Amino acid sequence: MRKFNIRKVLDGLTAVSSSSSASSSSQQQQSGNRESDIPETLQSEHFQLCKTVRHGFPYQPSALAFDPVQKILAIGTQTGALRLFGRPGVECYCQHDSEAAVIQLQFLINEGALVSALADDTLHLWNLRQKRPAILHSLKFNRERQRSTQKQTEKEAGIRLDKWITFCHLPFQSKWLYVGTERGNIHIVNVESFTLSGYVIMWNKAIELSSKSHPGPVVHISDNPMDEGKLLIGYESGTVVLWDLKSKKADYRYTHDEAIHSVAWHHEGKQFICSHSDGTLTIWNIKSPAKPLQTITPHGKQLKDGKKPEPCKPILKVEYKTARAGEPFIILSGGLSYDTVGRRPCLTVMHGKSTAVLEMDYSVVDFLTLCETPYPNDFQEPYAVVVLLEKDLVVIDLAQNGYPIFENPYPLNIHESPVTCCEYFADCPVDLIPALYSVGARQKRQGYSKKEWPISGGNWGSVTQSYPEIIITGHADGSIKFWDASAITLQVLYKLKTAKVFEKSRSKDDRPNTDIVDEDPYAIQIISWCPESRMLCIAGVSAHVIIYRFSKQEVTTEVIPMLEVRLLYEINDIDSPDGEQAPPLPTPGTGSNPQSIAPQSHPSTSSSSSDGLRDNVPCLKIKSSPLKQSAGYHIELVIQLVWVSGEPPQQITSLAVNSAYGLVVFGNCNGIAMVDYLQKTVLLNLGTIELYGSNDPYRREPRSPRKSRQPSGAGLCDINEGTTVPEDRCKSPTSGSGSPNNSDDDDQKMNNFIEKVKTKGRKFSKMVANDIAKMSRKLSLPTELKPDLDVRDNSFSRSRSSSVTSIDKESREAISALHFCETFTRKADTSPSPCLWVGTTLGTVLVIVLNLPPGGEQRLSQPVIVSPSGTILRLKGAILRVAFLDTTGSLVPPAREPWREHNVSEDKDEKDKSKKRRPVSVSPSSSSQEISENQYAVICSEKQAKVISLPSQNCIHKQNITETSFVLRGDIVALSNSSCLACFCANGHIMTFSLPSLRPLLDVYYLPLTNMRIARTFCFTNNGQALYLVSPTEIQRITYSQETCENLQEMLGELFTPVETPEAPNRGFFKGLFGGGAQSLDREELFGESASGKASRSLAQHIPGPGGIEGVKGSASGVIGELARARIALDERGQKLGELDERTAAMLSSADSFSKHAHEMMMKYKDKKWYQF
């Protein structure tokens, strides 16, 4: 009953103070009627979740393949992913279900198919003739059972048994795939039916019979370019065998002391080259197995007296390519000398007598030489080398001197520096992408190859999305990249380096020991961007904020404008906290010029306070020399939080910028600061508890003060009598150096303004002191405030808070959401006004009113007045997002200033027009009497969402989003001429809710939170688009729009295009007459079932893939599609008949065995009498 009475008393106080008790109930009824009139066009059928495209470099690459006719590149990864690249803009991502590492990739050249070999002993056949490739067949190998003697032999030889498949080879225009194994055997697979042949090359038949040791795994298989009947097999131990497929025996065996890593043929088929573990290359004549024809140590030091060169690192791969005109190319990776400590990985190109060593930034995973012909028995004519590095893809031009690299058109450098944050903007202004591209084009490097990009296969999809999309990525080195993401493509537009504004320490000893983090002190944490005005604001990990303005001109900034803010609050020595005598309140810490930026209570900026603690020092040092800024984003203002009494500044948790107001606001776990970046002044500098005034719902008491500390800061409207305010309170930082603001008139205006604020604060405190004291007790009781509690204007009573010790850091209330808008700040408002909505981690939303001077010159001379509205709203969980809807349910965009070039002089009238804020439209149906419900505030927290009717502040809808988990990202987005709330939860669910009714529309389990990278980078945007960083190097884009999902098939590019296979090389008259040309082989005759029989069923299991008939149905049409489907159905029918035949044969064998045993028993007892049994 007592609680009920207090509620009644407080409701009465609220009604009296607001003078609106008579209209309160009518407004609530009106809000319900008005809410029901808002049409909600979005239904659950408008939503569908699916992945669209994946951008970036394949994470942890492991395999590489190239189709020389289709000109398509494939990359496999250690997580079972496949990335396929055609011409710029044609990319595809596929994933093996097992997520096992991809060992090797083999294209069926010009057939639109790809074979992948995985570390889990599986082979997969991919159909690339459809826009989304799918698996047609899979073959799962079972490890062979070993005899005890074989086990012992392999144990002695130290054979690894971690994988079964070690190497694959598919000859050009052949359907028989050679599969080498860990055990040294070679099996043959028919890629059409994906069945094993009965033909097997056993390791013990391939090597010398006298050899007692196992040759090791198969590391190479290839057929002789001039004789398909001869197969070259390389074993890891150093043995190479030339196997005759027809006679099923070894023609020649080549042995070497060093282990083999790779083998390559000369196109004439008379020589081959091997790379070894000691950094040597051996060239062999096929008919001289006794010793190599030549031994080369590319990077070995040639010693005198004919001694053997010193051993080098292993040569991991070698390729041997010939040209009609000129010497052959020998290209290799590895083989560097052991004494080259710190040397970067290299690719070596040996051409005739010249040797070029090309250093790489990362380790070489694999490389391929691109040649003019797919035929191995012709001059190869190499023109480029594709080098797959650990974190990059490089293509080298072999046809130009110096071997320049091609400019990579794919967005593979997302991870150039690790991505720390992402923002996604859909439906941007149409002139924005051309503007960013024009300034970014000047940043491109020079020295690339002048030829076109050689990977040019596939065709683009049809563009059905016409709206521009931009992705912004922030990186660990302080750089920011703008990407054109329109129509599911990605292209870098512009790169901004934020770190160039700071002095870089040459060594660790030079650092002033003020860094918050040891590594990456310039890393970007938060990005706030206004596409219309092109204003950019970033927050860095070292508690710094930089505001940028876009310009197409190049400028040189002599002095970088800066401010330093002390966002940590303490109080002076107080005899009694409850005493009647209020202590003098501290003054706000603002800057007057770049050299003197501390408040007046501190005589000068120093690195330590009176007790020896570091004080008033920023984490980073700004450059003092002039800064040349090219066209693009120019620095408007740098803001840094400083150390306070030995405590470092806390990292910034929330950030917002508004171009129409000329304001930027940011907050952390200590408090909030607002800066006027036009006048370069601090407008607000408060601790989080001080935002409540005396209305703190948690009744948090000030912590123990430190007696020796100086006062540090206060809000603009918290100034009482006796407060000393510096005269440069709202001056520009450049006012000390001849700024026009440094005049007696400005000082007089400033003093008058401060006196008005003091008077207003005193009158208000006397008027509502009793009411506030009673209401503060009420507000401390419930966990959730009622929205109809109206706290009166200017209720920022000074709360005494000290710096937070390490013991209670976890209990801090951080600023988690900031939103500038023009809306109703109080219940009694009849028109919207500029304000800032502040959300905290304890679920509180507070509203701060902004009183802006008129535009033009007055905006630069008159101060912005910041005052509290008294409005306090409560939700469960930390506040994530705030947005506003009009009476039609459409999103109300924040006020913004259209972009204009600031570095070009304009007429005064044009300046005045451009500086005026864009007005917020009011519904025409609302008259002056019926303006009570003009907007709806949508607030999303970690646990729930609420829709608050404004200005009555009634909660008309509430939705508990999750009980057992929490929301990681929530965005209010536009979709299909309406709006919705999109949420991503830590339990992996993606949900959408209608607005304003918060009706659930979509709830799909998509992606569990496996690491903080996903939580840090996941973001929604308009038109049903979203993205996140799926790996350290890749961005995954998804859509939750049904319309986009339906159009996705048309938007995707096609990998396979019909191309005629080049003609085979002409054998010539004499070669044809005397048989000197290439010898063909009827592999069907050798490997077919009729010749070699069937393979053991226990060796491998065939698994039909999901891309069978379904894939053909989705991609083919007409007679060709029908024929293809009939062929697949026939194959499946044949497979079933084959299985039936096998079962019948097994039954027949069992019957024969039974008949044999019965006959033996009959013969045994045939001549015996009955008494002899």
Side-chain angles (χ1 to χ4, degrees):
M1 294 299 294
R2 184 181 179 185
K3 184 176 181 181
F4 177 79
N5 291 337
I6 292 175
R7 182 187 296 273
K8 290 294 184 182
V9 172
L10 285 171
D11 288 346
L13 286 173
T14 306
V16 171
S17 61
S18 62
S19 303
S20 59
S21 58
S23 60
S24 177
S25 60
S26 63
Q27 284 183 359
Q28 293 180 15
Q29 185 177 359
Q30 224 174 24
S31 69
N33 297 336
R34 185 178 298 277
E35 177 272 321
S36 61
D37 294 338
I38 297 178
E40 292 187 2
T41 58
L42 289 179
Q43 304 296 328
S44 58
E45 55 265 22
H46 292 120
F47 293 87
Q48 180 182 345
L49 190 68
C50 69
K51 296 180 180 179
T52 53
V53 288
R54 182 174 291 199
H55 303 296
F57 183 77
Y59 183 57
Q60 294 180 334
S62 58
L64 182 67
F66 182 71
D67 187 328
V69 179
Q70 287 289 319
K71 297 190 182 302
I72 299 173
L73 186 75
I75 297 176
T77 73
Q78 294 181 22
T79 57
L82 278 182
R83 293 287 298 278
L84 297 147
F85 297 91
R87 66 179 58 192
V90 178
E91 296 181 32
C92 185
Y93 161 76
C94 312
Q95 177 68 49
H96 294 91
D97 292 337
S98 66
E99 297 186 356
V102 179
I103 297 172
Q104 197 174 351
L105 297 172
Q106 284 277 329
F107 272 104
L108 278 67
I109 295 175
N110 205 26
E111 294 290 337
L114 175 73
V115 175
S116 59
L118 270 60
D120 63 350
D121 306 332
T122 56
L123 292 175
H124 303 275
L125 178 65
W126 290 84
N127 178 19
L128 306 184
R129 292 179 178 244
Q130 54 196 63
K131 290 191 173 183
R132 283 191 178 274
I135 294 176
L136 289 170
H137 299 283
S138 297
L139 199 62
K140 171 70 174 176
F141 285 89
N142 303 316
R143 296 181 183 270
E144 295 171 313
R145 294 182 179 178
Q146 308 171 51
R147 298 176 182 176
S148 58
T149 56
Q150 189 175 351
K151 280 185 180 180
Q152 185 65 27
T153 305
E154 292 184 354
K155 186 176 180 180
E156 291 174 356
I159 300 301
R160 300 186 309 271
L161 295 175
D162 55 343
K163 59 185 179 180
W164 199 80
I165 301 172
T166 56
F167 195 87
C168 296
H169 170 63
L170 181 65
F172 179 46
Q173 295 181 327
S174 170
K175 69 175 183 179
W176 298 97
L177 174 72
Y178 301 102
V179 180
T181 67
E182 183 81 21
R183 205 142 299 124
N185 302 327
I186 295 177
H187 300 270
I188 301 169
V189 178
N190 187 327
V191 294
E192 288 185 352
S193 60
F194 238 57
T195 55
L196 273 176
S197 167
Y199 193 110
V200 181
I201 303 174
M202 304 299 290
W203 67 270
N204 52 0
K205 293 183 179 180
I207 66 170
E208 294 279 358
L209 297 177
S210 59
S211 176
K212 296 181 180 180
S213 61
H214 192 278
V218 176
V219 296
H220 179 81
I221 307 171
S222 62
D223 49 338
N224 190 315
M226 286 296 180
D227 189 354
E228 296 175 350
K230 308 292 184 181
L231 196 67
L232 194 68
I233 307 168
Y235 294 96
E236 188 182 62
S237 63
T239 301
V240 179
V241 176
L242 187 64
W243 180 265
D244 190 325
L245 292 169
K246 292 181 180 179
S247 63
K248 299 183 180 181
K249 65 177 183 179
D251 283 352
Y252 299 100
R253 297 179 178 91
Y254 316 86
T255 56
H256 194 69
D257 296 336
E258 297 295 334
I260 291 177
H261 285 273
S262 69
V263 184
W265 278 102
H266 188 280
H267 85 277
E268 292 179 349
K270 297 178 181 179
Q271 293 179 353
F272 63 89
I273 187 170
C274 301
S275 68
H276 299 278
S277 58
D278 62 345
T280 59
L281 298 173
T282 54
I283 300 177
W284 298 80
N285 191 315
I286 61 169
K287 294 185 178 181
S288 302
K291 64 176 183 177
L293 185 68
Q294 187 180 1
T295 301
I296 307 170
T297 309
H299 298 284
K301 293 181 180 179
Q302 298 296 332
L303 301 178
K304 296 179 180 180
D305 303 328
K307 291 183 180 180
K308 188 178 178 181
E310 294 180 358
C312 297
K313 297 177 183 178
I315 297 177
L316 301 177
K317 186 175 181 179
V318 64
E319 290 201 346
Y320 199 5
K321 302 298 180 183
T322 56
R324 294 183 188 276
E327 299 288 335
F329 285 86
I330 298 177
I331 304 169
L332 56 104
S333 63
L336 293 177
S337 176
Y338 280 105
D339 60 1
T340 54
V341 180
R343 181 96 177 254
R344 292 192 295 178
C346 296
L347 186 81
T348 305
V349 180
M350 302 172 67
H351 186 217
K353 295 182 179 180
S354 66
T355 300
V357 181
L358 309 177
E359 290 191 343
M360 303 292 163
D361 292 333
Y362 306 100
S363 299
V364 178
V365 176
D366 198 0
F367 72 90
L368 288 173
T369 307
L370 308 188
C371 303
E372 296 288 351
T373 177
Y375 294 94
N377 58 351
D378 194 10
F379 286 98
Q380 303 300 292
E381 302 294 345
Y383 60 89
V385 181
V386 179
V387 188
L388 178 62
L389 305 177
E390 193 177 21
K391 294 183 180 179
D392 200 2
L393 181 72
V394 177
V395 182
I396 300 166
D397 187 355
L398 292 177
Q400 292 189 32
N401 293 331
Y403 304 128
I405 65 172
F406 289 86
E407 184 177 8
N408 198 323
Y410 306 134
L412 300 183
N413 60 341
I414 293 174
H415 64 287
E416 185 178 17
S417 174
V419 177
T420 53
C421 62
C422 285
E423 290 297 334
Y424 192 6
F425 300 88
D427 206 7
C428 300
V430 293
D431 60 340
L432 193 53
I433 290 178
L436 289 169
Y437 181 81
S438 64
V439 296
R442 308 176 192 179
Q443 298 178 332
K444 289 190 176 181
R445 291 171 48 191
Q446 304 297 323
Y448 291 111
S449 172
K450 297 179 181 179
K451 293 185 178 181
E452 292 186 0
W453 182 249
I455 305 166
S456 56
N459 285 324
W460 293 303
S462 59
V463 180
T464 58
Q465 291 181 352
S466 58
Y467 53 86
E469 298 175 77
I470 291 178
I471 295 172
I472 305 179
T473 55
H475 300 265
D477 64 351
S479 61
I480 293 176
K481 291 182 181 178
F482 292 78
W483 306 82
D484 178 8
S486 306
I488 69 170
T489 61
L490 194 69
Q491 181 183 6
V492 67
L493 293 171
Y494 171 71
K495 180 180 178 180
L496 172 66
K497 297 179 180 179
T498 65
K500 67 180 182 180
V501 71
F502 301 108
E503 297 280 2
K504 291 185 179 180
S505 302
R506 296 183 179 180
S507 64
K508 293 184 178 180
D509 298 335
D510 296 338
R511 294 180 182 175
N513 296 322
T514 56
D515 294 352
I516 298 178
V517 291
D518 294 333
E519 297 180 358
D520 303 323
Y522 313 109
I524 307 298
Q525 273 193 312
I526 309 173
I527 298 172
S528 179
W529 188 52
C530 177
E532 287 76 14
S533 65
R534 306 180 189 174
M535 290 297 298
L536 173 68
C537 188
I538 64 98
V541 73
S542 296
H544 62 278
V545 174
I546 309 178
I547 304 138
Y548 289 92
R549 191 186 295 274
F550 186 81
S551 174
K552 294 183 179 180
Q553 307 294 323
E554 184 176 303
V555 299
T556 299
T557 305
E558 297 295 331
V559 179
I560 298 172
M562 58 174 285
L563 284 176
E564 292 182 0
V565 179
R566 295 171 62 90
L567 199 56
L568 192 65
Y569 288 84
E570 302 173 82
I571 59 174
N572 289 326
D573 189 13
I574 302 172
D575 295 333
S576 174
D578 299 326
E580 296 179 1
Q581 181 70 27
L585 294 173
T587 60
T590 63
S592 58
N593 55 62
Q595 287 74 32
S596 177
I597 48 183
Q600 280 195 350
S601 57
H602 297 273
S604 62
T605 301
S606 60
S607 60
S608 61
S609 59
S610 58
D611 53 1
L613 296 174
R614 187 177 294 111
D615 186 64
N616 222 37
V617 181
C619 297
L620 302 174
K621 183 180 179 182
I622 296 179
K623 284 184 178 178
S624 56
S625 58
L627 180 65
K628 184 179 180 181
Q629 303 185 82
S630 56
Y633 274 100
H634 296 169
I635 296 170
E636 179 80 6
L637 179 63
V638 180
I639 308 167
Q640 293 193 90
L641 299 183
V642 296
W643 288 65
V644 177
S645 303
E647 291 192 15
Q650 298 299 312
Q651 293 182 358
I652 293 166
T653 57
S654 188
L655 176 72
V657 65
N658 189 282
S659 57
Y661 307 156
L663 303 177
V664 64
V665 62
F666 55 92
N668 59 14
C669 61
N670 282 337
I672 185 174
M674 186 186 299
V675 172
D676 182 345
Y677 65 78
L678 297 178
Q679 297 187 28
K680 311 294 190 293
T681 55
V682 178
L683 302 175
L684 188 69
N685 190 359
L686 286 178
T688 312
I689 301 176
E690 294 167 308
L691 284 171
Y692 295 92
S694 60
N695 304 318
D696 184 5
Y698 302 99
R699 302 196 65 180
R700 288 164 289 193
E701 296 296 331
R703 297 176 178 86
S704 300
R706 296 177 182 172
K707 298 181 179 181
S708 61
R709 302 302 157 84
Q710 296 289 338
S712 57
L716 181 62
C717 297
D718 297 324
I719 305 172
N720 293 339
E721 277 187 295
T723 304
T724 58
V725 181
E727 293 182 354
D728 57 357
R729 171 67 183 81
C730 294
K731 287 184 185 178
S732 167
T734 57
S735 60
S737 56
S739 171
N741 293 335
N742 191 16
S743 61
D744 295 335
D745 293 337
D746 289 343
D747 294 342
Q748 185 63 36
K749 289 180 180 179
M750 189 57 54
N751 291 330
N752 293 339
F753 161 69
I754 292 171
E755 288 299 321
K756 289 180 181 179
V757 173
K758 291 180 183 178
T759 305
K760 187 176 181 181
R762 288 196 299 270
K763 288 182 178 179
F764 163 71
S765 61
K766 292 178 181 178
M767 181 179 66
V768 295
N770 294 331
D771 289 351
I772 294 300
K774 294 177 182 178
M775 291 178 69
S776 63
R777 177 176 174 81
K778 165 66 180 173
L779 294 178
S780 65
L781 293 174
T783 58
E784 188 172 352
L785 294 180
K786 300 298 180 184
D788 57 351
L789 289 179
D790 181 22
V791 184
R792 291 294 293 166
D793 300 353
N794 300 330
S795 60
F796 267 10
S797 298
R798 174 72 182 179
S799 68
R800 298 184 292 270
S801 63
S802 64
S803 60
V804 184
T805 63
S806 59
I807 298 175
D808 48 29
K809 279 184 179 179
E810 294 182 359
S811 63
R812 296 188 190 188
E813 183 177 13
I815 306 298
S816 58
L818 296 166
H819 186 81
F820 285 106
C821 58
E822 290 196 12
T823 187
F824 303 91
T825 58
R826 309 176 183 89
K827 289 185 179 180
D829 286 353
T830 57
S831 62
S833 59
C835 60
L836 171 70
W837 286 54
V838 181
T840 72
T841 52
L842 294 184
T844 305
V845 178
L846 306 105
V847 184
I848 297 175
V849 181
L850 309 174
N851 191 350
L852 299 166
E857 298 298 331
Q858 295 182 11
R859 175 63 183 86
L860 299 177
S861 59
Q862 297 183 14
V864 178
I865 300 176
V866 181
S867 60
S869 68
T871 299
I872 300 178
L873 306 172
R874 292 277 296 139
L875 278 77
K876 293 180 182 177
I879 305 299
L880 299 179
R881 199 73 58 201
V882 179
F884 295 88
L885 308 177
D886 59 15
T887 52
T888 65
S890 301
L891 276 172
V892 178
R896 57 235 178 173
E897 178 189 58
W899 178 80
R900 65 182 181 88
E901 181 60 69
H902 278 253
N903 292 324
V904 177
S905 59
E906 297 184 68
D907 295 335
K908 185 177 179 181
D909 295 338
E910 293 180 357
K911 281 189 176 182
D912 291 345
K913 289 180 182 178
S914 64
K915 283 182 176 291
K916 288 183 179 178
R917 289 180 285 106
R918 183 180 300 178
V920 174
S921 60
V922 178
S923 176
S925 62
S926 302
S927 62
S928 58
Q929 288 82 16
E930 193 189 13
I931 202 168
S932 57
E933 303 295 341
N934 270 325
Q935 288 184 358
Y936 300 94
V938 183
I939 307 172
C940 177
S941 75
E942 288 181 338
K943 290 290 186 180
Q944 63 179 194
K946 282 186 178 181
V947 176
I948 309 295
S949 178
L950 299 177
S952 69
Q953 299 179 13
N954 293 323
C955 177
I956 59 173
H957 293 290
K958 181 173 75 171
Q959 177 68 248
N960 291 324
I961 300 173
T962 177
E963 295 292 341
T964 59
S965 184
F966 59 94
V967 179
L968 288 168
R969 177 78 182 219
D971 286 295
I972 294 91
V973 294
L975 177 65
S976 302
N977 297 320
S978 187
S979 56
C980 67
L981 169 64
C983 298
F984 172 55
C985 295
N987 59 10
H989 284 254
I990 290 179
M991 296 180 283
T992 61
F993 302 90
S994 66
L995 291 176
S997 67
L998 293 176
R999 180 169 39 90
L1001 299 174
L1002 176 74
D1003 187 354
V1004 177
Y1005 176 76
Y1006 173 69
L1007 177 74
L1009 180 63
T1010 54
N1011 53 56
M1012 286 306 298
R1013 180 183 62 250
I1014 298 172
R1016 190 175 62 245
T1017 58
F1018 199 104
C1019 52
F1020 297 95
T1021 188
N1022 296 332
N1023 299 327
Q1025 308 296 328
L1027 66 80
Y1028 61 94
L1029 206 66
V1030 67
S1031 73
T1033 62
E1034 296 168 290
I1035 287 176
Q1036 177 67 57
R1037 292 168 67 180
I1038 62 175
T1039 181
Y1040 49 96
S1041 165
Q1042 171 69 28
E1043 182 182 1
T1044 305
C1045 290
E1046 291 176 351
N1047 297 331
L1048 184 59
Q1049 193 72 13
E1050 299 178 7
M1051 297 166 62
L1052 293 173
E1054 293 182 359
L1055 287 168
F1056 179 81
T1057 54
V1059 179
E1060 287 191 11
T1061 303
E1063 292 185 3
N1066 190 3
R1067 296 174 63 186
F1069 175 75
F1070 290 103
K1071 286 186 178 181
L1073 183 64
F1074 298 107
Q1079 301 293 321
S1080 60
L1081 174 71
D1082 188 356
R1083 294 187 177 90
E1084 183 70 34
E1085 183 180 343
L1086 277 176
F1087 307 143
E1089 187 177 330
S1090 59
S1092 61
K1094 292 183 177 180
S1096 172
R1097 292 189 61 189
S1098 63
L1099 187 59
Q1101 177 188 1
H1102 176 264
I1103 305 170
I1109 290 182
E1110 292 78 6
V1112 176
K1113 284 180 180 177
S1115 60
S1117 60
V1119 178
I1120 297 176
E1122 293 297 330
L1123 288 174
R1125 286 194 288 272
R1127 181 181 178 184
I1128 291 179
L1130 188 61
D1131 289 343
E1132 292 179 353
R1133 183 171 178 270
Q1135 180 184 352
K1136 291 179 181 178
L1137 288 175
E1139 293 174 356
L1140 181 62
D1141 184 35
E1142 288 181 5
R1143 286 197 295 269
T1144 305
M1147 291 174 66
L1148 181 61
S1149 175
S1150 177
D1152 289 341
S1153 177
F1154 179 77
S1155 174
K1156 182 180 178 181
H1157 285 297
H1159 179 72
E1160 289 176 354
M1161 184 173 290
M1162 186 267 294
M1163 294 301 295
K1164 181 178 180 181
Y1165 299 107
K1166 179 179 178 182
D1167 298 328
K1168 291 186 178 181
K1169 302 296 181 179
W1170 62 270
Y1171 53 82
Q1172 293 178 327
F1173 285 103

